Amino acid sequence: WPTLFASSLKGEAALDNGDEAKDPLAIVLAEEGISERGEQLQNATTDTFSIIEQVDHDASSFTQGLSYGHDNDGKLCIYETTGLWGQSKVRRIDPDTFAVVASVDIDSAHFGEGSTFYTDTDGKRRLIEITWKKQTGFIYDVDTLEQLREFSYTTTAPGHEGWGITYDASAQEFIVSDGSANLYFWDRDTLAEKRSVRVTRLDGMEQDQLNELEYMDGLVCCNIWYSDDIICVDPESGNSVREYDMSSLWPTDQRSAGADVLNGIALGTDHVLITGKLWDRMYKVDFPNWPTLFASRLNDEVTPGNEDTQPLNEDRGGYIGKGDDMAVMSYN
């Protein structure tokens, strides 16, 4: 119980030369390498993860966005958006068979990018998607995938591109990447930008090329274009606090012809679903050094229609993956 006596120090900070002293609790925890939630902090990228199961994925999908959600009957679904000019799609996937059960083409003027499931202010389930070059996004009905709304946005000048998007239900805000080192935070209801942060790695270096995103256990987890790393970022500071080398998940020298970079993270109730662009497979993965990861998912408030939703997979078995080389490919 490394934090037992540290708690008694909290609140005893004194003022020195007019500046507030650092919180003694935070100092003790940092020295012990422990977060204020009692977790061991990472100080380097790790290549340790567990593969629970390999499942099918449509190899024609140039994956740009991936998330779990529920349809209007409360049935669990996987939502995926894909890219490439003239080939971009919005899809709903059966989480039991991993078959595509609905697919809609988006206008050929748009190169599809990230997407995320969310519930709006009226309690309606929606899917939001951004696009690469046109500063245009769409909101869809989760059942029909009908486009309900089109909106405009800006990100980092001059390109104002859209790459990844995820949703923090606790703050009722979307988090958006654009290929730079910036993460943008948008109000759920107005889609207005609230703030932004610059992302830095564990080594203190800024990280750009932030791609597909997933909000997990209070952190923004980011795919990185040209890399098999996943970094998980504190949304307040922009500092990476967890980093995973996923290069051994499906090593580049073993990938089928045409398979592109790692891209696609979706948080389930007992696994993280991970895939890549033009991959013929997805993986259910666990991170053994992240004990609170699924607790946040299991403790989500029950919404109407999903009261009887069951955990996605009871088998937590698998093997420990070790790192290898990183992929270098083309489109973000």
Side-chain angles (χ1 to χ4, degrees):
W1 196 345
T3 62
L4 176 59
F5 303 110
S7 60
S8 68
L9 298 174
K10 194 169 182 66
E12 295 180 4
L15 297 180
D16 182 20
N17 297 324
D19 295 324
E20 186 175 353
K22 292 183 179 178
D23 182 355
L25 174 61
I27 295 172
V28 171
L29 295 178
E31 289 175 349
E32 295 295 327
I34 299 163
S35 75
E36 292 200 42
R37 295 191 301 179
E39 299 172 278
Q40 196 70 29
L41 293 171
Q42 275 188 224
N43 57 15
T45 303
T46 179
D47 55 10
T48 301
F49 57 89
S50 300
I51 296 178
I52 300 169
E53 185 181 3
Q54 177 183 322
V55 299
D56 292 336
H57 181 238
D58 180 359
S60 71
S61 291
F62 194 81
T63 303
Q64 303 284 57
L66 194 70
S67 59
Y68 277 103
H70 293 86
D71 66 16
N72 288 319
D73 293 326
K75 179 178 172 56
L76 186 68
C77 303
I78 298 167
Y79 293 95
E80 180 181 36
T81 48
T82 73
L84 298 178
W85 297 111
Q87 301 178 45
S88 299
K89 303 177 188 301
V90 182
R91 290 182 150 180
R92 192 171 73 247
I93 297 171
D94 187 310
D96 296 320
T97 66
F98 295 91
V100 176
V101 295
S103 182
V104 174
D105 294 338
I106 73 169
D107 190 292
S108 60
H110 297 286
F111 189 116
E113 286 284 347
S115 60
T116 193
F117 172 90
Y118 73 104
T119 302
D120 71 12
T121 189
D122 297 320
K124 295 179 180 178
R125 299 179 175 112
R126 298 293 186 234
L127 186 73
I128 186 171
E129 178 187 26
I130 55 178
T131 61
W132 184 21
K133 295 281 192 179
K134 302 289 187 178
Q135 299 92 56
T136 303
F138 306 104
I139 294 175
Y140 301 96
D141 180 273
V142 293
D143 287 349
T144 65
L145 305 183
E146 175 189 1
Q147 187 184 121
L148 302 175
R149 178 184 171 190
E150 179 178 316
F151 63 93
S152 299
Y153 58 86
T154 59
T155 52
T156 304
H160 297 291
E161 296 182 2
W163 285 34
I165 185 169
T166 189
Y167 180 59
D168 173 5
S170 63
Q172 297 183 353
E173 63 186 12
F174 298 109
I175 306 162
V176 177
S177 67
D178 66 351
S180 71
N182 296 321
L183 289 176
Y184 292 91
F185 296 78
W186 296 350
D187 180 82
R188 178 195 63 186
D189 301 326
T190 66
L191 299 178
E193 181 184 324
K194 298 164 65 176
R195 62 189 180 89
S196 65
V197 296
R198 297 281 288 179
V199 171
T200 57
R201 298 289 294 261
L202 290 172
D203 62 8
M205 300 294 291
E206 282 196 351
Q207 177 64 65
D208 61 3
Q209 307 294 315
L210 303 173
N211 208 349
E212 210 268 342
L213 308 176
E214 183 76 351
Y215 188 80
M216 307 199 307
D217 193 24
L219 301 178
V220 186
C221 293
C222 314
N223 283 123
I224 300 170
W225 191 34
Y226 290 123
S227 170
D228 284 334
D229 285 356
I230 292 174
I231 67 171
C232 299
V233 175
D234 180 337
E236 296 301 321
S237 67
N239 296 330
S240 173
V241 296
R242 290 183 174 276
E243 299 188 358
Y244 296 94
D245 175 2
M246 305 299 296
S247 59
S248 65
L249 182 68
W250 191 20
T252 55
D253 61 358
Q254 297 177 22
R255 293 178 191 172
S256 54
D260 209 307
V261 295
L262 182 82
N263 204 50
I265 312 168
L267 178 65
T269 54
D270 68 348
H271 67 266
V272 180
L273 190 65
I274 295 177
T275 191
K277 304 170 188 288
L278 306 176
W279 285 22
D280 63 4
R281 63 196 67 190
M282 298 190 282
Y283 292 93
K284 294 181 179 181
V285 171
D286 188 10
F287 298 97
N289 72 338
W290 195 340
T292 61
L293 176 56
F294 303 110
S296 62
R297 185 72 166 183
L298 292 171
N299 291 333
D300 283 347
E301 291 185 9
V302 175
T303 54
N306 74 343
E307 295 88 345
D308 59 353
T309 300
Q310 299 298 314
L312 305 181
N313 190 300
E314 297 295 333
D315 179 13
R316 296 290 292 275
Y319 69 90
I320 302 300
K322 304 301 289 182
D324 204 343
D325 295 330
M326 294 189 295
V328 178
M329 299 293 177
S330 51
Y331 289 113
N332 64 277

